[in-house]
Amino acid sequence: MQLIRDLGKFIAWLPDIFSKPENWGMYYKETVRQMYDIGIGSMSIVMLISGFIGAVTAIQFSYQLSGGFIPDYYIGYIVRDIMIIEMAATLTCIVLAGKVGSTMAAEIGGMRQKEHIDAMEIMGVNTSSYLVLPKLIASVIVIPLLVTIALIVGIAGGYIAATYVAGLTPVEFEKGLRFLFDPYNVVMMYVKAITFSLIITSVACFQGYFVSGGSIELGQASTRAVVFGSINILIADLIIALLLMG
Amino acid sequence: MIRAENIVKTFGSQEVLRDISFTFDDGKTNLIIGKSGAGKTVFLKILVGLLQPTSGAVWFDDIDVCCISKEQHRELRMQIGMLFQGNALFDSLTVEENIRFPMDMFTTRTAKEKLKQVDYCLERVSLEGINDKYPSEISGGMQKRVGIARAIVLNPKYLFCDEPNSGLDPKTAITIDDLISGITKDNKITTIINTHDMNSVMEIGDNICLLSDGKLAWKGRKEEVLDNDNEVLIDFIFASPFLQRLRSQALSK
Ligand SMILES: Nc1ncnc2c1ncn2[C@@H]1O[C@H](COP(=O)(O)OP(=O)(O)O)[C@@H](O)[C@H]1O
Ligand SMILES: [Mg+2]
């Protein structure tokens, strides 16, 4: 019930967000600031996680494949496809829903509680637009870039693990990387990345913008941004998989 | 002139404002007074349009604000400056950036013109030279004054202040009051102040309305405050036993 009411409120909110900016320069500045915050702020965690996932995938599969009929170079193939199809986009965005989502919700919610939003409204600023649109644009640009980085670092992690731990030669791993490559999966990865960035940002901004009460409510809003963001990402992941693979 | 007409505001089952009608005069320092929780902030936010009344209307001259387009609403808001109870200064921006913010957003002035206006506003509130400080680095009284500077940077026609001297020592509070009433006179703007501070009432109250329990309990000028027998007003003004003793001594003379 609450969910349906929130959804209605969110849809009613959209026209305000996408109304014409009063000053392009200020929006541009805010977008750049957000891009910097999201991108630089999350780079290391994204690299760390994807590198480990790539490495663990390589080690696990080399163990499973050892002594079987499947050739060793399949490890490169598996690492590549697991990263492209699922890990790079979905895992990165789940992590970002935690990191970026909670920060955004807390930032906007804090502005609501400290009357910053009221102050801007009184000046005549369309706060729905000014506080949300730059974040949406920034995340749609930066998060797919982070996903790309996750993909590269993940494969690098797989490469290091496969060659140093599992005893593959670099040539074999590379052969695996080229094996049965379908560019369509890469397109799908970016479709997911863009969809998930929209989800992370809009859920977080919604939770922050309509917060009321005090610091306990602010914490709850931040938590909801993470939980609802992650759940929605998983649901969207499933829908995209069904639509684009079917 | 700003006119509130039969304003009612309820939150759930709680009636915060019950049928309030009052006219705020042009070029004057208008006060909304009352105890904590009387509904002053809610009333002020309804006047500026941050809250919608449950019923009733707010008129700016001959414009009924409920029924104007979004565009007109923004135009009206450009003529409004507001000082919030907690200042609402943007804490990630410096003092200068705070005051410049409305100009950055709505004007095409050059950087030099903006700086000139920032410095003029800072001078008006006697705070020259703190341009590069952050709000957290200056005192509460200075934050209020920066808030005033930001509120007047676009030369508004109307100035709204929510408890401008709450949390300040009496001396600083009086400075802030003088500042606001001075700006009101010099710039010929219409000012509406929420306060529960008796000094403000007696010093700068050109036109006063007293809220009690969500109702309009009394209205008048500062000159009329002392010699009248409105019980709510007397109870509000002579709040402490000390003041009550003074009053009965004065009356018995
Ligand atoms: N957004 C709100 N939701 C519910 N109740 C509110 C809200 N804002 C104010 N109130 C209630 O309205 C009453 C008046 O509040 P307020 O106008 O802030 O008083 P004050 O005169 O001290 O400024 C209080 O009892 C408060 O609980
Ligand atoms: Mg108040």
Side-chain angles (χ1 to χ4, degrees):
Chain A
M1 203 51 231
Q2 179 66 34
L3 210 67
I4 295 171
R5 213 172 317 141
D6 278 356
L7 193 67
K9 198 161 143 193
F10 179 72
I11 290 169
W13 191 36
L14 287 176
D16 284 341
I17 297 176
F18 290 101
S19 56
K20 189 173 154 287
E22 39 272 292
N23 181 329
W24 290 99
M26 291 289 276
Y27 274 64
Y28 174 75
K29 241 174 83 183
E30 179 65 11
T31 307
V32 171
R33 187 178 78 84
Q34 291 293 337
M35 284 172 67
Y36 189 84
D37 277 6
I38 300 170
I40 305 296
S42 312
M43 186 93 84
S44 45
I45 181 89
V46 165
M47 289 172 73
L48 186 75
I49 289 178
S50 55
F52 267 87
I53 292 287
V56 171
T57 308
I59 294 169
Q60 281 278 302
F61 274 94
S62 76
Y63 175 72
Q64 308 250 312
L65 300 182
S66 62
F69 305 101
I70 301 169
D72 273 353
Y73 71 81
Y74 261 60
I75 292 172
Y77 159 62
I78 288 167
V79 168
R80 183 201 73 207
D81 265 9
I82 279 190
M83 291 310 296
I84 292 178
I85 292 175
E86 198 57 27
M87 290 305 172
T90 311
L91 193 70
T92 302
C93 287
I94 296 256
V95 171
L96 293 178
K99 184 152 190 317
V100 176
S102 62
T103 310
M104 278 182 184
E107 181 188 323
I108 299 185
M111 293 183 75
R112 164 67 73 199
Q113 292 185 337
K114 286 184 280 185
E115 295 184 310
H116 292 180
I117 293 184
D118 283 348
M120 286 190 187
E121 282 285 332
I122 286 299
M123 293 170 190
V125 179
N126 176 354
T127 54
S128 303
S129 177
Y130 180 63
L131 295 178
V132 179
L133 202 54
K135 292 187 176 61
L136 275 178
I137 295 171
S139 58
V140 166
I141 296 171
V142 171
I143 292 182
L145 286 177
L146 287 173
V147 168
T148 310
I149 291 171
L151 175 63
I152 294 168
V153 174
I155 289 175
Y159 173 81
I160 292 168
T163 49
Y164 283 88
V165 183
L168 240 72
T169 65
V171 179
E172 274 180 309
F173 191 82
E174 212 186 303
K175 185 177 172 196
L177 282 186
R178 293 176 197 281
F179 183 64
L180 287 179
F181 177 67
D182 184 356
Y184 183 69
N185 287 339
V186 178
V187 173
M188 199 161 86
M189 180 184 86
Y190 284 113
V191 170
K192 282 184 179 181
I194 290 170
T195 312
F196 297 164
S197 18
L198 290 174
I199 289 174
I200 293 170
T201 312
S202 52
V203 168
C205 292
F206 180 79
Q207 293 297 341
Y209 195 83
F210 292 104
V211 79
S212 57
S215 48
I216 293 180
E217 283 82 356
L218 187 60
Q220 288 169 343
S222 187
T223 307
R224 273 199 306 274
V226 178
V227 174
F228 292 167
S230 309
I231 293 175
N232 281 317
I233 285 174
L234 293 175
I235 295 173
D237 192 25
L238 182 71
I239 294 173
I240 291 173
L242 289 175
L243 287 180
L244 294 188
M245 286 192 153
Chain B
M1 181 195 70
I2 302 174
R3 197 154 51 87
E5 206 177 75
N6 306 106
I7 298 288
V8 175
K9 179 69 184 176
T10 54
F11 289 108
S13 60
Q14 186 194 7
E15 261 195 315
V16 176
L17 299 176
R18 314 170 189 209
D19 195 23
I20 299 198
S21 300
F22 190 76
T23 302
F24 300 91
D25 297 333
D26 277 343
K28 297 245 174 81
T29 310
N30 301 273
L31 298 189
I32 302 169
I33 63 175
K35 294 180 191 160
S36 270
K40 302 183 296 293
T41 300
V42 171
F43 191 33
L44 200 71
K45 286 193 171 170
I46 286 175
L47 291 174
V48 296
L50 286 172
L51 286 174
Q52 298 305 315
T54 308
S55 71
V58 175
W59 295 76
F60 279 71
D61 295 324
D62 49 3
I63 302 171
D64 182 350
V65 291
C66 86
C67 310
I68 57 179
S69 71
K70 263 202 170 129
E71 210 39 55
Q72 285 172 304
H73 213 113
R74 297 219 176 279
E75 259 163 48
L76 181 62
R77 287 198 166 166
M78 307 277 296
Q79 304 176 1
I80 294 177
M82 182 158 176
L83 175 65
F84 286 83
Q85 188 162 0
N87 305 313
L89 296 175
F90 308 135
D91 25 27
S92 60
L93 302 181
T94 64
V95 166
E96 178 180 319
E97 288 165 340
N98 263 285
I99 301 174
R100 219 179 52 204
F101 187 89
M103 288 191 283
D104 286 342
M105 205 66 167
F106 296 108
T107 71
T108 49
R109 293 177 204 175
T110 63
K112 215 170 135 198
E113 288 169 331
K114 286 178 189 167
L115 183 61
K116 208 174 135 210
Q117 178 70 0
V118 168
D119 285 342
Y120 167 77
C121 290
L122 275 176
E123 197 188 308
R124 187 68 191 82
V125 298
S126 321
L127 282 179
E128 299 91 337
I130 62 158
N131 298 45
D132 297 328
K133 291 244 191 285
Y134 283 89
S136 58
E137 297 170 344
I138 58 179
S139 72
M142 289 159 96
Q143 289 174 3
K144 288 276 172 189
R145 284 190 272 169
V146 172
I148 295 172
R150 187 178 67 181
I152 61 171
V153 71
L154 292 179
N155 295 316
K157 254 174 90 177
Y158 310 97
L159 180 61
F160 292 80
C161 306
D162 194 1
E163 308 264 3
N165 42 27
S166 72
L168 300 178
D169 64 277
K171 202 89 185 227
T172 312
I174 289 169
T175 323
I176 298 284
D177 280 348
D178 288 345
L179 187 57
I180 295 174
S181 88
I183 289 171
T184 304
K185 289 201 188 80
D186 297 348
N187 301 17
K188 298 192 176 54
I189 54 183
T190 306
T191 299
I192 302 182
I193 303 176
N194 259 357
T195 185
H196 56 234
D197 184 336
M198 273 320 301
N199 288 324
S200 316
V201 177
M202 302 314 293
E203 295 299 329
I204 59 171
D206 295 335
N207 181 30
I208 305 169
C209 74
L210 170 65
L211 296 188
S212 169
D213 203 16
K215 287 194 286 274
L216 182 69
W218 180 83
K219 55 183 169 184
R221 288 172 292 121
K222 61 184 177 202
E223 294 83 3
E224 299 165 345
V225 168
L226 286 182
D227 46 55
N228 84 81
D229 50 9
N230 183 303
E231 275 183 29
V232 185
L233 183 64
I234 291 170
D235 183 49
F236 174 73
I237 291 177
F238 302 99
S240 69
F242 166 67
L243 286 172
Q244 282 162 14
R245 261 201 319 280
L246 278 186
R247 177 169 190 265
S248 49
Q249 279 170 10
L251 285 179
S252 61
K253 268 188 197 147

